[in-house]
């Protein structure tokens, strides 16, 4: 389908060996993109890339700890060396090292959350945008969270970073729209991933959360991957600066 065809594009997806990131990198590959599978563990990257290549896709595994500037630079350098410039950047990797009262977060956990969830996304954007400017085309997608749109006592710093990511895409959209570079976010509610396990592993709590959604179910990784494909492809060519809420109808339910 022409509007969702990514043939000839190179996509870099962080945190793409499980959960939402894996669903995204696999779908972008299915749409024809050359993809970089990246997370902290080389073996996990290789396993996911092998699966994509075995299905006829084109995937390169590149492990990286995105909390380190040198690792971020090496990730982009290797991507450019092996697949060419990045046409699609999906910033999915995130951390939430602390769950508890907002102001009780240890300084180390606060700094880590800011560094990974905001600063790494900005640094990656800084590295890939020159190529996008040169070709006058590019798409950046940042995975935010519904937590960034509501006050939170227990997920406070994580929610703070996700609200900042929504502003990040607005800033990028305004700054580089004239170069035909689009920047958007996706804000999921609770999705059944290991990252969000604390929010759904208890069956009773999971049912209670699902009942608060208009669609009466929790999200699945593919629910978010479809939105990422739209924002990365020609179908989203006139969408920029937006953070798409994908929450099963939680935000509009009674």
């Amino acid at each position: 389908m022409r509007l969702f065809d990514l043939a000839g594009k190179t996509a870099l997806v962080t945190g793409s060996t499980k959960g939402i990131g894996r669903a995204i990198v696999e779908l972008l590959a299915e749409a024809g993109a050359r993809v970089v599978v990246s997370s902290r563990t080389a073996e996990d990257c290789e396993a996911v890339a092998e699966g994509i290549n075995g299905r006829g896709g084109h995937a390169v595994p590149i492990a990286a700890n995105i909390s380190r500037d040198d690792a971020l630079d090496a990730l982009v350098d290797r991507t450019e060396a092996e697949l060419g410039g990045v046409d699609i950047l999906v910033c999915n990797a995130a951390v939430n090292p602390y769950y508890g009262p907002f102001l009780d977060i240890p300084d180390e956990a606060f700094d880590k959350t800011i560094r990974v969830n905001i600063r790494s996304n900005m640094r990656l954007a800084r590295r890939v945008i020159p190529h996008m400017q040169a070709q006058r085309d590019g798409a950046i997608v940042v995975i935010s969270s519904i937590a960034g749109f509501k006050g939170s006592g227990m997920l406070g710093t994580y929610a703070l970073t996700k609200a900042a990511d929504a502003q990040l895409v607005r800033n990028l959209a305004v700054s580089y729209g004239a170069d035909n570079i689009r920047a958007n976010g996706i804000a999921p509610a609770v999705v059944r991933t290991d990252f969000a396990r604390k929010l759904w592993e208890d069956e009773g709590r999971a049912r209670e959360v699902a009942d608060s959604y208009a669609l009466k179910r929790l999200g699945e990784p593919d629910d978010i991957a479809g939105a990422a494909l739209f924002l990365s492809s020609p179908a989203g060519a006139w969408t920029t600066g937006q953070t798409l809420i994908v929450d099963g109808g939680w935000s509009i339910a009674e």
Side-chain angles (χ1 to χ4, degrees):
M1 295 179 63
R2 176 181 56 82
L3 287 178
F4 296 94
D5 183 8
L6 298 181
K9 301 295 186 181
T10 293
L12 168 57
V13 185
T14 65
S16 51
T17 56
K18 56 187 176 181
I20 290 171
R22 179 170 182 170
I24 291 173
V25 81
E26 290 179 340
L27 185 59
L28 298 187
E30 187 178 333
R34 302 179 297 266
V35 299
V36 171
V37 179
S38 186
S39 72
R40 293 185 61 172
T41 306
E43 292 80 4
D44 292 343
C45 296
E46 291 164 2
V48 174
E50 182 178 349
I52 292 172
N53 292 329
R55 294 188 293 273
H58 187 171
V60 174
I62 305 177
N65 179 353
I66 66 166
S67 67
R68 292 170 34 203
D69 289 349
D70 60 339
L72 286 171
D73 289 338
L75 172 60
V76 176
D77 288 343
R78 281 196 56 194
T79 299
E80 292 175 342
E82 299 197 30
L83 296 177
V86 175
D87 305 302
I88 300 164
L89 171 66
V90 181
C91 298
N92 169 71
V95 297
N96 183 31
Y98 171 79
Y99 181 82
F102 180 38
L103 293 180
D104 291 347
I105 185 171
D107 289 345
E108 182 180 353
F110 180 86
D111 291 344
K112 180 177 182 179
T113 308
I114 296 293
R115 186 174 188 86
V116 173
N117 294 4
I118 304 173
R119 191 177 187 277
S120 69
N121 297 342
M122 291 182 63
R123 190 173 184 89
L124 284 170
R126 183 185 299 137
R127 282 297 314 271
V128 305
I129 280 176
H131 166 75
M132 295 178 177
Q133 288 177 304
Q135 65 178 6
R136 295 193 54 76
D137 186 47
I140 297 172
V141 180
V142 178
I143 306 303
S144 178
S145 169
I146 195 67
F149 291 82
K150 184 178 181 181
S152 175
M154 303 298 282
L155 288 170
T157 302
Y158 175 78
L160 184 70
T161 64
K162 293 305 177 176
D165 282 334
Q167 183 61 33
L168 171 62
V169 299
R170 288 191 286 265
N171 290 350
L172 293 174
V174 168
S175 298
Y176 301 103
D179 298 309
N180 196 36
I181 298 170
R182 310 184 311 280
N184 293 285
I186 303 172
V190 177
V191 178
R192 288 186 182 274
T193 64
D194 286 341
F195 185 83
R197 182 172 293 277
K198 283 187 178 181
L199 302 177
W200 60 264
E201 63 182 346
D202 178 79
E203 186 174 339
R205 183 177 184 183
R207 184 68 264 162
E208 182 180 351
V209 173
D211 284 343
S212 71
Y213 299 167
L215 292 178
K216 305 303 179 186
R217 69 171 178 87
L218 301 184
E220 300 293 340
D222 278 348
D223 295 322
I224 311 307
L229 175 59
F230 161 68
L231 294 173
S232 301
S233 68
W238 209 45
T239 302
T240 195
Q242 306 304 307
T243 295
L244 179 62
I245 294 175
V246 185
D247 67 351
W250 174 78
S251 56
I252 55 87
E254 294 180 347

